[in-house]
Amino acid sequence: MDETIANFQRWFTEIAVNWNNCERAGQKLLATILGNSPVAHAMCCEMGNVQLVNALNIAADLESEGTAKAIRRFCESFERLRAYRNFVIHGLIEIPRKDHHMGHGVTTLFTESGKGSFKIGTQNVLDGDLRAVAEWLGAFTLLAEGTALAIQNDEPSPSLDKFPLPARMAKNSRNHPLLERPPQSSPA
């Protein structure tokens, strides 16, 4: 198998697995805040991502300053990483290739969105970008797990202040060609 394709598959898989772990860690964190009962866990494991972040942000208001900060940091990171995860996992993927000028593996992702209007987009993603998303997901999973343990043991919450938040995702998109309006002729 080509090394570029193997690297893409590795990071794609790590993003998918790390996302599932991060999502579950957030659910466990909320269940811990809600008392760690079987009912709390049953309720939280069925929550969607938007509901989970909303509930965690509200719960942060009820916690100590350090714990609240860790919860809010997790939520902000979770939202940013969700955009990256969705972009990578749901994008239509061109076969990864080696960029011989830059020496990196490059994958082109094609996306479509119906939010507001029908838009299409393409974006080149480097192997390093995929690796960074997988690593961010792993780090913020540990933050959620560590915060849940700190709450259980009545200890200070961990801090990832030195671990930078991922930048907000910028998508390269435009209106779908079917929505492009032909130039209007001006009256003579």
Side-chain angles (χ1 to χ4, degrees):
M1 176 183 301
D2 177 85
E3 179 186 1
T4 304
I5 293 173
N7 285 338
F8 171 80
Q9 289 175 337
R10 173 185 175 194
W11 297 122
F12 184 90
T13 302
E14 282 198 34
I15 288 170
V17 170
N18 287 358
W19 173 256
N20 289 343
N21 291 337
C22 191
E23 187 177 49
R24 185 64 191 126
Q27 293 165 345
K28 286 180 181 178
L29 173 58
L30 181 60
T32 299
I33 292 167
L34 295 176
N36 222 8
S37 71
V39 173
H41 281 277
M43 182 180 69
C44 293
C45 77
E46 294 298 327
M47 290 182 102
N49 295 318
V50 173
Q51 295 86 356
L52 175 64
V53 168
N54 289 341
L56 281 168
N57 276 314
I58 293 167
D61 293 337
L62 306 174
E63 295 296 327
S64 68
E65 185 179 332
T67 299
K69 184 177 179 182
I71 293 168
R72 287 190 185 100
R73 175 117 170 139
F74 172 80
C75 289
E76 184 177 359
S77 302
F78 188 83
E79 285 297 288
R80 289 187 189 187
L81 290 165
R82 184 167 63 99
Y84 281 100
R85 178 262 181 203
N86 287 346
F87 183 71
V88 171
I89 298 297
H90 297 296
L92 303 171
I93 300 163
E94 180 182 86
I95 293 176
R97 66 197 181 285
K98 184 89 166 178
D99 183 317
H100 296 287
H101 298 289
M102 297 177 63
H104 299 286
V106 177
T107 303
T108 302
L109 296 175
F110 300 92
T111 59
E112 295 178 328
S113 174
K115 296 176 184 172
S117 70
F118 185 37
K119 295 199 178 272
I120 58 172
T122 61
Q123 192 156 339
N124 290 329
V125 180
L126 301 177
D127 284 349
D129 298 331
L130 296 173
R131 185 185 78 234
V133 171
E135 289 173 353
W136 278 323
L137 284 166
F140 289 106
T141 298
L142 293 175
L143 174 63
E145 291 172 346
T147 302
L149 281 173
I151 290 169
Q152 282 178 323
N153 298 324
D154 200 26
E155 296 173 351
S157 293
S159 172
L160 284 179
D161 287 340
K162 293 182 181 178
F163 195 82
L165 283 172
R168 293 196 187 280
M169 178 167 213
K171 294 181 183 174
N172 177 15
S173 63
R174 61 182 172 80
N175 281 335
H176 192 280
L178 293 175
L179 297 177
E180 301 284 327
R181 296 178 192 253
Q184 299 293 320
S185 59
S186 57

